[in-house]
């Protein structure tokens, strides 16, 4: 059998791998993309469950897809459609006194909010959006190195510094003070309304191993706010056909650019000859020869499992082994008969995102058990009913309810199945308090604990950022220092997944930045 | 003019930082008055006779951070200060063993090897990495933090100094430093160690005095804050002040008075007098007015600006920032007079561990769970204790054969589930502490002659530490360096002319260090254009 050859092999058909492969192919490279699963998409797939119901398997709200990615890959032309844009977020209250945040990041509040809180929120919201916008350009930067004397790196740092300077003196002081604060203190300084504080704190901690009282939890909120959907900073959207349609558009773009896509083709080794990468070997024994290999897989998987520690120095192996990735979000998909009744919530609001995060302390209390390997008995929830805006997702008369539940243990002390069943019960109990009778309406359900997500999407830790978004794992420290510029120490090997700067969320910036790095090297 | 009642400067509060500032100002030739509300000096660094024959270090209890430059400049040994190093310490495990710590590196390493060979191997790497971080940060302790938003030459110069120090590190060290500043101590230790008890014993310095648990980001820096000190040039070592912590305050006070300064105790301050945006003196609780062009407050930033100064005299934004200053108390104290040295079956008689700090929290999880209790507004039934028996080294604090024991307890909330502490709750808190010790030392209860239980309520009432926070403000990044106490006022000055701050609310923060007092004095002398000849440069003594 003669080995297949290419200029570049991209490992992993998640959104970042697809973005990177497409951009490389567009630059004239012969690119082969290999995906272990039968379907592309990684954590951004739409899957079927129950009887003809479809749901976004892991990522379920679009809020960060980078406009530059969208533009460069012409995703609209390749079929990307949004079912709903700029959707509202409603913080559910068990007594029906809901609070709704309309417009991007709660531009307008509705629901019995005091005049002081209205005014204070307006100021705080503007401040947080401003500060997040300062960090925004860094999303598409290749993180600089601190001490290699390159002018480009110095300029990247200077640019960031200048952005902070441009805020003006008062804002700059606030920016530097708040930088490493916890989101709870930031909110408590200004806001009284528990529902509002709960909702904002939820967004800050969603997808991280942090509680609202953990220092640095404001930075994760900035990360979220640096994103935009449909041209609006801080807005949320639902793609038509679920998250899988984003991947379909990406796949169409990739194929149009000439990327050869192999699915059901797990990689067993990254091949190295004469101290540089020479291709990959698939689990079925087939080899694909290439001088460049780009991995969208988790950095630890890529370097420790696929490349092997003998190619790396011990310091780097230690650092990579120490990357923290404990997924704490569980997924629950429900197929329900009729529309669940969230205590009089109008359909206009049910189209949006619903949060059960009544207060900062309730989220923090939910966080406590995962520190010790148990899941929250009273989880905080993010709920969307995508079939309301996209009826094609469920047979008529039925709806799909898609839930992110915090906090679920990655490595529960109990057996996995027991832990899953128990956690699903806890989620249903909370749901029942807000939508009485929902349990009766359920005709099919599917729960995924972090460990299930790990298996389904090949994401170690079940962590959708491929490594926690903590300050010590961000920017030039992502995934670890020495790998932050997308290149591995073995010539020809690159990283392009969410484990690299800037991180996860269906954004595509990591894939785009990696492609730029690879192309700049060739010059 | 030699009127006995005119002063160049008044220092409000005779805590150690107030006395340090006063000492330097007096040596520079200023006529300085220190006023103190209590009938004794020292603030939280005191030795109090609370049971016949015993001296209690009833707040701060160990000494390490006190800057050697200050000891030398103010000639503290000459005025009676003597610091005796610890001989070690230990963490008891629930299965009846103990992990000892020893001053001698190899002995400590061998002890760790009993629990994990791998951890013993990692210990050298860990020590080297932490000491490197200490060495990096220490030069900043005795410098006024620059304002990063300012273009004044001095600020720019100081920023460049900071930048150059950072740039002196290797590239890897730079990244490691950023990580170190932002990581949880538990995660940091996970990168080195595997044995629970080993991690727990190293965790301790990451949480003492802070309202954070070992799994909270930012606690690795707190560890550094406790490691920055030294005893006899041994970095990270701790010791006892002979005669209790009051020995430090008494030496400072004696040194100050020998330079011509005056201390008035029993003189609480009601307010700071302000005329036309400048301070002109103070009014005591009894209505007496004392005038001076300079007032230096050793009180925390909340007490200084929310209680002593009229709100109308301050810019609105400043008041808001002071209100938002985080000063949550997280610890309590139980001080015990003992009839004899308690016996711990895990320790051989005369083990050097008796002569150091002892702990009963043998896992990071137990420590973090105690923090969870604090978050919920409860004291913990399984608290973390830092327990010392100074009389094993210093016989001056108790009658022969008897002992004084100090237990620092974490976590202890400023309010219990939202309400003020009651006496019954305070006693229950004390009982939880004594129960924990008795679990490891049968018969301990019978040795207790007297116990003083202090929750944040008692610390605030007596020492004047708002919410009982021992650092006069939490040590998180939003309150460190140029952010401490509030951005724009990290240079010990305030919006009111002539009113300075010198307490632990200012850079570099709490602990019996004296650096805030010295730095404040330095800024005052700078403003007065007086030479600072009696002030050695930071690090001149090393």
């Amino acid at each position: 059998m003669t080995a297949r050859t290419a200029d570049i092999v991209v490992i992993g058909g998640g959104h970042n791998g697809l973005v990177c492969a497409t951009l490389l192919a567009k630059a004239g490279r012969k690119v082969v993309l290999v995906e272990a699963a039968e379907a592309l998409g990684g954590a951004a797939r739409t899957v079927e469950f129950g009887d003809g119901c479809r749901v976004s398997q892991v990522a379920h709200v679009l809020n960060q897809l980078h406009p530059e990615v969208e533009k460069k890959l012409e995703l609209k032309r390749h079929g990307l459609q949004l079912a709903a844009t700029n959707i509202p977020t409603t913080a559910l209250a068990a007594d029906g006194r809901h609070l709704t945040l309309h417009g991007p990041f709660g531009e307008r509040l509705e629901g019995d909010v005091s005049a002081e809180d209205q005014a204070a929120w307006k100021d705080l919201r503007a401040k947080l959006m401003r500060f997040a916008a300062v960090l925004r350009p860094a999303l598409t930067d290749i993180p600089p190195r601190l001490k290699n004397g390159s002018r480009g790196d110095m300029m990247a740092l200077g640019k960031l510094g200048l952005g902070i300077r441009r805020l003006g003196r008062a804002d700059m002081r606030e920016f530097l003070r708040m930088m490493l604060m916890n989101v709870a203190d930031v909110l408590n300084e200004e806001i009284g309304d528990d529902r509002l504080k709960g909702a904002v704190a939820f967004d800050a901690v969603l997808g991280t191993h942090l509680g609202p009282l953990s220092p640095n939890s404001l930075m994760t909120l900035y990360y979220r706010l640096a994103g935009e959907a449909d041209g609006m900073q801080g807005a949320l959207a639902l793609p038509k056909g679920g998250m899988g349609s984003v991947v379909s558009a990406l796949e169409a773009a990739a194929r149009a650019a000439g990327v050869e896509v192999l699915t059901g083709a797990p990689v067993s080794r990254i091949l190295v000859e004469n101290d540089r990468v020479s291709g990959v070997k698939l689990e079925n024994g087939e080899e694909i020869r290439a001088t460049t290999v780009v991995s969208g897989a988790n950095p630890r998987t890529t370097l420790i499992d696929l490349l092997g520690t003998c190619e790396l120095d011990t310091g780097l192996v230690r650092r990579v082994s120490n990357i923290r990735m404990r997924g704490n979000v569980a997924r629950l998909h429900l197929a329900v008969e009729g529309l669940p009744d969230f205590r009089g919530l109008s359909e206009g609001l049910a189209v949006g995102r619903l949060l059960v995060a009544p207060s900062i302390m309730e989220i923090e209390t939910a966080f406590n058990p995962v520190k010790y390997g148990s899941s929250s008995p009273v989880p905080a929830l993010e709920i969307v009913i995508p079939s309301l805006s996209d009826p094609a997702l469920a047979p008529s008369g039925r709806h799909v309810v898609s839930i992110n539940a915090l906090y679920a243990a990655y490595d529960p002390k109990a057996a996995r199945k027991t832990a899953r069943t128990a956690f699903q019960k806890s989620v249903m109990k909370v749901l029942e308090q807000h939508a009485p009778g929902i349990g009766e309406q359920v005709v099919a359900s599917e729960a995924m604990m972090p460990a299930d997500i790990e298996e389904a999407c090949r994401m170690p830790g079940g962590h959708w950022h491929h490594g926690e978004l903590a300050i010590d794992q961000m920017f030039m420290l992502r995934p670890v220092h020495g790998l932050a510029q997308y290149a591995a120490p073995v010539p020809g090997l690159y990283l392009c997944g969410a484990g690299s700067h800037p991180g996860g969320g269906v954004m595509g910036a990591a894939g785009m930045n990696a492609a730029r790095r690879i192309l700049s090297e060739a010059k | 003019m030699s009127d006995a009642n005119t002063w160049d400067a008044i220092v409000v509060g005779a805590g150690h930082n107030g006395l340090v500032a006063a000492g330097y100002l007096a040596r520079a030739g200023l006529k300085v008055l220190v006023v103190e509300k209590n009938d004794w000096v020292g603030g939280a660094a005191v030795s109090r006779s609370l049971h016949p024959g015993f001296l209690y270090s009833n707040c701060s209890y160990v000494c390490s951070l006190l800057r050697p430059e200050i000891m030398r400049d103010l000639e503290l040994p000459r005025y009676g200060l003597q610091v005796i190093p610890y001989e070690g310490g230990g963490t008891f495990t629930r299965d009846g063993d103990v992990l000892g710590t020893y001053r001698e590196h190899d002995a400590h390493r061998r002890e760790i090897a009993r629990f994990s060979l791998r951890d013993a191997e990692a210990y050298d790497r860990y020590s080297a990495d932490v000491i490197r971080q200490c060495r990096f940060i220490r030069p900043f302790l005795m410098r006024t933090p620059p304002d990063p938003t300012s273009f004044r030459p001095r600020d720019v110069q100081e920023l460049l100094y900071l930048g150059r120090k950072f740039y002196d590190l290797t590239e890897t060290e730079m990244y490691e430093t950023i990580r170190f500043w932002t990581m949880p101590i538990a995660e940091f230790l996970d990168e080195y160690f595997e044995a629970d008890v080993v991690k727990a014993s190293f965790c301790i310095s990451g949480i003492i005095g802070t309202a954070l648990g070992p799994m909270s980001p930012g606690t690795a820096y707190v560890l550094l804050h406790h490691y920055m000190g030294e005893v006899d040039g041994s970095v990270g070592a701790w010791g006892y002040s002979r005669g209790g912590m009051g020995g430090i305050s008494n030496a400072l006070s004696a040194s100050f008075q020998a330079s011509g300064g005056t201390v008035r105790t029993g003189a609480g301050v009601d307010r700071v007098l302000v005329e036309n945006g400048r301070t002109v003196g103070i009014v005591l609780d009894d209505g007496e007015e004392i005038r001076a062009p300079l007032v230096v407050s050793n009180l925390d930033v909340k007490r200084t600006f929310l209680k002593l100064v009229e709100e109308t005299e301050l810019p609105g934004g400043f008041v808001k920032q002071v209100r938002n200053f985080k000063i949550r108390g997280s610890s309590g104290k139980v001080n015990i007079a003992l009839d004899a040295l308690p016996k711990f079956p895990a320790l051989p008689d005369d083990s050097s561990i008796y002569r150091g700090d002892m702990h009963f929290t043998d896992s990071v999880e137990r420590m973090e769970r105690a923090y969870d209790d604090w978050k919920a507004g409860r004291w913990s039934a399984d608290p973390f204790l830092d327990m010392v028996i100074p009389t094993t080294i210093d016989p001056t604090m108790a009658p022969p054969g008897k002992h004084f024991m100090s237990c620092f307890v974490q976590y202890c909330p400023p309010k219990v589930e939202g309400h003020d502490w009651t006496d019954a709750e305070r006693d229950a808190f004390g009982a939880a502490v004594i129960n924990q010790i008795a679990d490891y030392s049968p018969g301990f209860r019978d040795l207790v002659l007297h116990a003083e239980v202090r929750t944040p309520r008692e610390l605030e009432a007596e020492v004047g530490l708002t919410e009982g926070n021992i650092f006069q403000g939490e040590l998180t990044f939003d309150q460190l360096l140029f952010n401490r106490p509030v951005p724009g006022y990290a240079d010990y000055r305030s919006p009111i002319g002539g009113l300075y701050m010198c307490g632990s609310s200012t850079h570099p923060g709490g602990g019996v260090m004296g650096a805030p007092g010295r730095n404040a004095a330095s800024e005052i002398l700078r403003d007065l254009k007086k030479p600072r000849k009696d002030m050695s440069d930071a690090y001149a003594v090393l």
Side-chain angles (χ1 to χ4, degrees), chain B residues 47-79:
Chain B
S47 306
R48 310 231 16 237
S49 182
L50 298 174
H51 188 71
F54 286 82
L55 275 181
Y56 284 30
S57 287
N58 76 337
C59 285
S60 63
Y61 52 102
V62 286
C63 173
S64 152
L65 300 172
L66 187 62
R67 295 305 312 155
E69 301 89 329
I70 294 171
M71 276 196 226
R72 168 183 274 202
D73 289 349
L74 301 181
E75 301 174 281
L76 299 186
R78 195 178 140 199
Y79 294 101

Side-chain angles (χ1 to χ4, degrees), chain B residues 265-288:
Chain B
T265 55
V269 174
D270 178 58
R271 61 183 199 275
V272 171
L273 285 170
V274 182
E275 286 170 11
N276 304 322
R278 270 203 75 84
T279 179
V280 292
I282 56 168
V283 180
L284 297 182
D285 285 336
D286 62 9
E288 185 190 341

Side-chain angles (χ1 to χ4, degrees), chain B residues 487-509:
Chain B
Y489 294 97
D491 59 358
Y492 307 93
R493 294 171 182 83
S494 77
I496 294 172
L499 177 59
Y500 294 82
M501 302 174 257
C502 75
S504 300
S505 278
T506 57
H507 170 78

Side-chain angles (χ1 to χ4, degrees), chain A residues 79-100:
Chain A
L80 177 63
Q81 279 182 51
L82 299 177
T85 63
N86 203 9
I87 57 171
T89 294
T90 300
L92 297 174
D95 61 4
R97 253 184 78 233
H98 308 309
L99 165 79
T100 302

Side-chain angles (χ1 to χ4, degrees), chain A residues 117-137:
Chain A
D117 275 345
Q118 289 274 12
W121 170 244
K122 195 168 168 250
D123 290 347
L124 179 62
R125 174 187 177 274
K127 186 157 86 176
L128 294 175
M129 296 277 274
R130 226 162 40 234
F131 291 177
V134 168
L135 299 172
R136 180 158 216 280

Side-chain angles (χ1 to χ4, degrees), chain B residues 61 64-65 134 203-210 219-230 235-238 408 470-471 475 510-511 513:
Chain B
Y61 52 102
S64 152
L65 300 172
C134 275
C203 245
I204 292 162
S205 299
I207 59 159
I208 286 192
T210 65
T219 41
Y221 168 76
V222 180
L223 172 106
L224 209 57
H225 191 85
H226 288 99
Y227 269 41
M228 287 184 289
E230 54 205 295
V235 176
W238 288 82
F408 171 88
I470 64 168
F471 292 147
L475 297 179
M513 190 189 292

Side-chain angles (χ1 to χ4, degrees), chain A residues 145-147 165 169 172-173 177 185 189-190 215-216 318 324 326 364 368 371-372 481, chain B residues 125 147-149 151 167 169 171 175-176 182 187 217 320 326 328 365 368-369 372 375 478:
Chain A
R145 282 181 51 186
L146 283 173
K147 208 175 185 177
R165 268 266 176 217
R169 176 176 267 206
M172 177 178 171
R173 281 191 173 142
R177 180 182 75 96
D185 283 345
E189 282 182 358
E190 310 288 344
N216 302 356
R318 188 185 292 135
R324 301 195 304 284
R326 293 155 298 196
E364 184 69 27
N368 286 343
K371 295 187 288 191
Y372 319 116
H481 59 82
Chain B
R125 187 162 59 88
D147 178 354
T149 67
F151 289 109
Y167 207 73
L169 301 171
E171 190 175 358
Y175 297 122
E176 293 297 343
T182 52
E187 314 280 8
K320 184 178 170 195
K326 316 289 180 293
R328 293 164 279 222
E365 175 172 338
E368 182 74 18
R369 282 187 188 275
D372 289 347
K375 286 193 296 192
D478 53 307

